[in-house]
């Protein structure tokens, strides 16, 4: 229930976006969430998550089949 507005300097937003783009260009993951902490002008990268909704969202059958076909079956060929 945090209601206080948080203001982040555009230069920090730009640095985070640049880091995310570099990571994507290097790794080519279709989805990732890059978690950061900001303290003053310092940016600390805390974790990279590769699933939406903290793995608590329900997947439908088509999504599961697509994931299997795209990632699992390709890697076992």
């Amino acid at each position: 229930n945090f209601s206080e507005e948080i203001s982040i300097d555009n230069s920090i937003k730009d640095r985070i976006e640049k880091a995310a783009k570099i990571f994507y260009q290097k790794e080519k993951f279709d989805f990732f969430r890059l978690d950061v902490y900001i303290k003053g002008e310092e940016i600390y990268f805390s974790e990279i998550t590769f699933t939406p909704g903290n793995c608590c969202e329900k997947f439908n059958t088509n999504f599961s089949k697509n994931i299997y076909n795209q990632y699992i079956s390709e890697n076992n060929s």
Side-chain angles (χ1 to χ4, degrees):
N1 294 330
F2 188 78
S3 61
E4 185 177 326
E5 187 172 324
I6 298 173
S7 176
I8 300 173
D9 187 80
N10 283 338
S11 66
I12 291 175
K13 288 180 186 178
D14 292 342
R15 289 167 48 202
I16 294 169
E17 185 176 330
K18 182 179 178 183
K21 285 180 180 180
I22 290 170
F23 180 77
Y24 171 75
Q25 290 168 350
K26 200 168 189 156
E27 302 299 334
K28 300 292 186 202
F29 289 110
D30 290 335
F31 175 90
F32 67 92
R33 186 185 75 219
L34 186 61
D35 294 351
V36 299
Y37 293 99
I38 302 168
K39 183 177 179 183
E41 294 294 314
E42 297 294 320
I43 302 169
Y44 299 92
F45 294 93
S46 62
E47 72 175 301
I48 300 170
T49 306
F50 300 101
T51 56
N54 196 26
C55 282
C56 294
E57 294 181 10
K58 293 182 179 181
F59 296 110
N60 65 34
T61 304
N62 289 333
F63 182 82
S64 297
K65 286 178 185 175
N66 288 337
I67 292 296
Y68 178 80
N69 291 334
Q70 186 171 355
Y71 297 105
I72 299 171
S73 65
E74 286 179 7
N75 292 329
N76 291 328
S77 301

